[in-house]
Amino acid sequence: MDPNVLLSRYYSQKYIRSFFDVTVVAIILLGMSSLINELRISSAAYTSADAIIYTFYRTPASIIRADSIIFCIATIVFFLRLRKSKELLVGHIFGVSMMQVLRSLVPLVIVLITLVTVNREWLAPQVSAYAKVWRLQKTEKGTIYTTINNKVWFYTQSGFLSAQMVTDNPKQLQDVAYYEFENDQLLYWYFSDKVNYELGDWVAPDGYKKTINNQYINTERIAEYKLPIRVKPRVIEGARLMPEFATLRQIIDSMYRGGKYGISNHITWMMLTARITRPINLFLIFIWVFVVLEHVTLPRFKGLVARLFLTILFVISERVAYEFITTAKTNA
């Protein structure tokens, strides 16, 4: 077999190893950070084991947050390992140029980018949505149930309440209906267009209370009505079924249908463009790092630290810019 083909395959295996190692390290670091935050809210209902399970469920979403950095660091590690072992010099002896190495890695990188994209558009949203519901059931002992359109149900000791969550304001609920029971008999129900969280209570500025008396329904208008629920806004905000990383399809639907899927109706064309071009960005990051570091394997090469710093600074800047474009105006 042609030595060039063997070396190209060897370099591809080296890059896969570097990508795998960097991904594992990134998952561990991000997972430990998430686990520390989860352990702070552990209780009898939500144990340390539950926190570990939830952190595991969050692994696909963690990869999304670090995708560009993973590709950058993996490419850097690939070059540094070849520099240390001088294996790339052996390729030069057999006539393998850096352009040939790049061409051999491009199909592999495209496959990796495809896997990351599938994770972003399918696996991470699905697993993250399940994880949020699972965590909510653990922490709130099943007293809250949410639906895909941000409809939420609260179960109290004597009744239940249904409401519509407000996407950009967790301290407010809309289209509220509360039903009070006694011995499986409906005592009354209360309707209000909205309720606000004020000093630890959910208060309806204005609404109507309906009671059944001798088979007749009496309607009474009541202002400043305190609802018998003690759920904090942060719990309601965490009750959204959709994860913080919306899929491309959900972004497109949200642009045309307002706040569907729990995404703000302020999603812009810039955010849509950023999501569509994300795989291209990851590929360009790989090319950028490769071009900047293609000479680092030479024994007399100088300026390695400066090029590494430039590369990492560029990728971090790209990550910050992407985060701003996709989250600054969305609450996604």
Side-chain angles (χ1 to χ4, degrees):
M1 184 177 288
D2 188 350
N4 291 349
V5 176
L6 292 175
L7 287 172
S8 297
R9 291 181 179 178
Y10 177 76
Y11 293 142
S12 297
Q13 293 174 0
K14 280 285 186 179
Y15 190 87
I16 291 178
R17 176 65 184 275
S18 299
F19 187 87
F20 176 80
D21 292 345
V22 173
T23 302
V24 170
V25 172
I27 290 174
I28 292 175
L29 293 177
L30 295 173
M32 290 300 296
S33 176
S34 176
L35 180 59
I36 291 173
N37 293 329
E38 291 300 312
L39 290 176
R40 292 175 180 174
I41 62 172
S42 61
S43 61
Y46 187 67
T47 64
S48 300
D50 294 330
I52 294 174
I53 294 174
Y54 177 75
T55 302
F56 175 77
Y57 283 144
R58 296 285 295 166
T59 298
S62 300
I63 296 176
I64 293 178
R65 298 186 66 91
D67 54 1
S68 58
I69 297 177
I70 289 175
F71 274 95
C72 172
I73 301 300
T75 308
I76 291 175
V77 171
F78 169 76
F79 274 103
L80 292 181
R81 285 176 173 175
L82 292 181
R83 174 184 173 87
K84 182 178 180 180
S85 63
K86 297 181 174 56
E87 291 171 309
L88 200 57
L89 294 178
V90 176
H92 290 325
I93 295 175
F94 284 95
V96 179
S97 65
M98 292 303 298
M99 185 57 65
Q100 290 176 301
V101 175
L102 177 61
R103 284 201 299 265
S104 67
L105 293 180
V106 164
L108 172 62
V109 172
I110 291 176
V111 171
L112 294 175
I113 291 175
T114 301
L115 294 176
V116 171
T117 302
V118 171
N119 175 60
R120 179 187 298 109
E121 299 298 331
W122 181 76
L123 180 61
Q126 296 290 334
V127 176
S128 185
Y130 173 79
K132 284 195 172 186
V133 176
W134 179 85
R135 180 178 181 271
L136 192 64
Q137 291 174 344
K138 286 287 185 177
T139 55
E140 299 300 319
K141 299 180 181 180
T143 59
I144 298 178
Y145 173 74
T146 60
T147 63
I148 196 69
N149 59 353
N150 271 1
K151 189 78 171 181
V152 61
W153 295 81
F154 299 88
Y155 296 93
T156 66
Q157 292 182 348
S158 56
F160 62 90
L161 177 145
S162 67
Q164 187 77 24
M165 291 187 290
V166 180
T167 302
D168 55 356
N169 186 8
K171 292 187 177 183
Q172 185 178 96
L173 296 173
Q174 295 179 345
D175 299 330
V176 178
Y178 175 69
Y179 304 87
E180 181 80 12
F181 290 85
E182 183 178 358
N183 298 327
D184 297 330
Q185 297 294 323
L186 179 63
L187 295 180
Y188 70 87
W189 62 97
Y190 181 85
F191 297 92
S192 179
D193 292 335
K194 67 177 180 180
V195 297
N196 301 310
Y197 188 75
E198 301 175 357
L199 301 177
D201 293 310
W202 289 96
V203 181
D206 189 32
Y208 294 91
K209 181 179 179 180
K210 295 181 180 291
T211 57
I212 301 176
N213 186 13
N214 296 326
Q215 296 183 351
Y216 291 98
I217 298 178
N218 298 325
T219 302
E220 178 184 4
R221 185 171 182 176
I222 300 178
E224 301 300 323
Y225 181 76
K226 292 185 179 180
L227 296 170
I229 58 174
R230 295 292 182 268
V231 180
K232 296 182 179 180
R234 64 175 179 82
V235 177
I236 295 178
E237 189 175 23
R240 304 182 190 277
L241 280 181
M242 295 310 300
E244 57 270 26
F245 301 100
T247 65
L248 179 61
R249 179 180 178 181
Q250 292 162 3
I251 293 174
I252 295 174
D253 285 343
S254 182
M255 290 187 66
Y256 291 98
R257 303 174 188 174
K260 192 176 182 181
Y261 299 108
I263 306 171
S264 170
N265 57 357
H266 298 294
I267 288 179
T268 63
W269 283 101
M270 185 177 295
M271 179 180 180
L272 177 62
T273 304
R275 176 56 64 83
I276 293 175
T277 59
R278 191 61 186 160
I280 300 175
N281 289 354
L282 295 179
F283 182 76
L284 293 178
I285 286 173
F286 163 75
I287 297 296
W288 161 264
V289 179
F290 192 97
V291 171
V292 171
L293 300 181
E294 63 175 332
H295 297 299
V296 301
T297 55
L298 298 178
R300 299 181 181 180
F301 178 81
K302 297 181 180 180
L304 174 61
V305 175
R307 293 204 177 196
L308 291 177
F309 177 79
L310 175 64
T311 301
I312 295 175
L313 179 63
F314 171 79
V315 174
I316 291 178
S317 300
E318 187 276 342
R319 181 74 243 182
V320 172
Y322 179 77
E323 287 283 341
F324 176 79
I325 291 173
T326 56
T327 63
K329 297 182 180 181
T330 65
N331 282 335

